[in-house]
Amino acid sequence: VEIYSLQVDCKVTSRYAHTVITSRIVNRANESREATFEVELPKTAFITNFSMSIDGEVYPGIIKEKAAAQSEYDTAVSQGQSAGLVKITDRKLEQFQVSVSIAPASKVTFELTYEELLKRQLGKYELLIKVRPKQLVKHFQIDVHIFEPQGIQFLETDSTFMTNELTEALTKVQNETKAHILFKPTVDQQKTNSEPDGTRLNGDFVVRYDVKREATAGDIQIVNGYFVHYFAPQEMPVFPKNVIFVIDRSGSMAGRKIEQTKDALLKILQDLRPEDHFSFITFNNKVVEWKSSLLPATEENVASAAALVQTLTARGGTDINGALLAAVDMLDRAEGLPERSVSMVILLTDGQPTSGETKVEVIQDNIQTAIDGKYALFCLGFGFDVSYKFLEKMALSNGGIARRIYEDADAALQLQGFYQEVATPILMQIEMQYPENAVEGLTKNNFKLLFEGSEIIVSGKLSNELELLPVEIKAQSHTSNLTLKEEANVNEKEQVFQNQRYIFGNFIERLWAYLTIQQLLEKAISAQEEDQKALEAQALDLSLRYSFVTPLTSMVVTKPSDQQQEELANKPTEAG
């Protein structure tokens, strides 16, 4: 079975990426063979379309409500055969895989489409394309078009498999607002020196870029009555932060995990700013405070903390409740902290609560009552023995986020990377305001914190006949209370995208739907049960209307009548 053509076609319009992967396979054997289509896509993306065409006959994927699709599927297939088509493969990717049997000399074309809104992290957007054909491919190409009306600040490509020969197959053309990247290696360029049919194409192909930012109140773009507003202010003073690290040293952390945690903490200590205050709480079944209060991050205090970190050993149970309550209490009691500063608790744990209070619901309530909106809680789950759902709900209920740390050689770098994302808060209590009578279906427009290098995105639908869209942003910076104002001329903004030939027409509407679904699902995690159902019903409605495979929908993949008729593609979540 030969893949004779593999094309990745990606269009990024104002951070919204639309990717189509097309694989063409022929069976050169003289008997039926299995043709497999295997694609790894970013976890943050939603699949929107899939089809197989075998000798001209098209078998589309149909997106349905998950529960309905599952029951139909269970009826069609005797129990126990339902291996999902999508599974999480690593910290950034999930894999979509489908196989079909094809007759001798038959050809099959697989086509998968997915979409995602690129998220700005540490000052750049990242478009990740996983390349793994597992064989030499006669026609192979990755074709990326980027259009950013704000202007492209910088653009780079990076790949884990590039060689000098392969670099010759890469071209980049760029002007003020557009970029075109083409990677089209010949079969000779794909070959490894060691094996006759081995391919060098195995790994990540990454495009990173950032946009120019002139307007102080962010940038507004409008297409077909939908708007998106991007806000990432430049050169803001950084808030001093008061951070308590709450570190699990129970028995399960023993070995490589505690060593990697120590490595990361030593580097993080070096990154504290002199105006920051910090402390450590370590816990197993006992909760130990390094000092009774937060200390300024002077050279001396940082050195003393580093000495403590070096001595950490892992044994005993896990009292998450006691440790977090101690951290909140320490922040409550703190004196002499800078008046305008950001307080946060960063929890790192690798297991379930086994000591002290062990009921997760009770812990969640205790912590939410204690924090009471005053501080942000970030939860890092190390490995796969944690209840990620529990950590995620706790973080989202308390103005923070959760992240899984994968047990790999680079776990220390993952921990450090996370810290860097939250290390520089530049604004707090951000309110993005739009005229109520002019905008509907507004996505989240109040944000607790904005960190350097990230970006706030708000989207909505404009009411008819609106000529000017006034916006007002209110926020607190380290030095003052800000009010930023801007007015967008709707007609002028609509013109920007009129003559772009490679733009898929209603992309801001799809961006709005994508963002709304992501936010509804996130809100549902920390909502009460009745609210949760209402939020999920709304998200389901949008998922079906815009045909996205989300955690609430399934794609039913149909096959020729002589084979297992249906298979399901579901969206996996980090919480499993």
Side-chain angles (χ1 to χ4, degrees), residues 50 67 87 95-96 201 243 266 403 421 467 471:
F50 170 73
K87 60 176 193 290
Q95 183 188 67
F96 174 89
L201 304 183
V243 56
L266 291 170
R403 180 79 51 89
E421 283 174 49
E467 288 174 16
V471 301

Side-chain angles (χ1 to χ4, degrees), residues 469-502:
L469 172 65
V471 301
E472 183 169 295
I473 302 173
K474 293 194 156 137
Q476 297 172 15
S477 82
H478 176 38
T479 47
S480 61
N481 289 349
L482 303 175
T483 303
L484 306 169
K485 293 183 178 182
E486 172 110 44
E487 232 175 15
N489 179 315
V490 176
N491 273 345
E492 276 174 27
K493 292 286 181 188
E494 289 264 13
Q495 288 307 309
V496 174
F497 295 98
Q498 289 302 318
N499 46 11
Q500 300 305 329
R501 58 190 165 73
Y502 58 75

Side-chain angles (χ1 to χ4, degrees), residues 385-518:
D385 298 330
V386 289
S387 166
Y388 189 80
K389 224 175 186 155
F390 156 62
L391 295 179
E392 185 171 42
K393 180 172 180 177
M394 207 157 50
L396 292 173
S397 307
N398 295 290
I401 57 172
R403 180 79 51 89
R404 193 190 296 280
I405 301 297
Y406 281 70
E407 288 185 54
D408 288 333
D410 69 343
L413 287 172
Q414 294 175 57
L415 285 166
Q416 258 172 279
F418 171 80
Y419 173 76
Q420 280 166 346
E421 283 174 49
V422 299
T424 47
I426 51 173
L427 289 179
M428 54 199 278
Q429 311 305 348
I430 305 115
E431 292 176 37
M432 313 281 286
Q433 299 172 339
Y434 310 87
E436 273 177 30
N437 55 355
V439 171
E440 52 183 295
L442 194 62
T443 58
K444 179 177 164 157
N445 65 329
N446 283 330
F447 302 85
K448 269 199 151 136
L449 291 168
L450 173 66
F451 298 99
E452 176 83 65
S454 67
E455 176 171 63
I456 281 176
I457 306 176
V458 181
S459 182
K461 188 179 180 186
L462 299 176
S463 61
N464 299 344
E465 277 63 83
L466 190 70
E467 288 174 16
L468 289 175
L469 172 65
V471 301
E472 183 169 295
I473 302 173
K474 293 194 156 137
Q476 297 172 15
S477 82
H478 176 38
T479 47
S480 61
N481 289 349
L482 303 175
T483 303
L484 306 169
K485 293 183 178 182
E486 172 110 44
E487 232 175 15
N489 179 315
V490 176
N491 273 345
E492 276 174 27
K493 292 286 181 188
E494 289 264 13
Q495 288 307 309
V496 174
F497 295 98
Q498 289 302 318
N499 46 11
Q500 300 305 329
R501 58 190 165 73
Y502 58 75
I503 294 203
F504 47 111
N506 55 348
F507 88 95
I508 292 186
E509 184 178 345
R510 295 193 66 80
L511 180 160
W512 167 81
Y514 171 97
L515 190 59
T516 305
I517 292 166
Q518 294 276 29

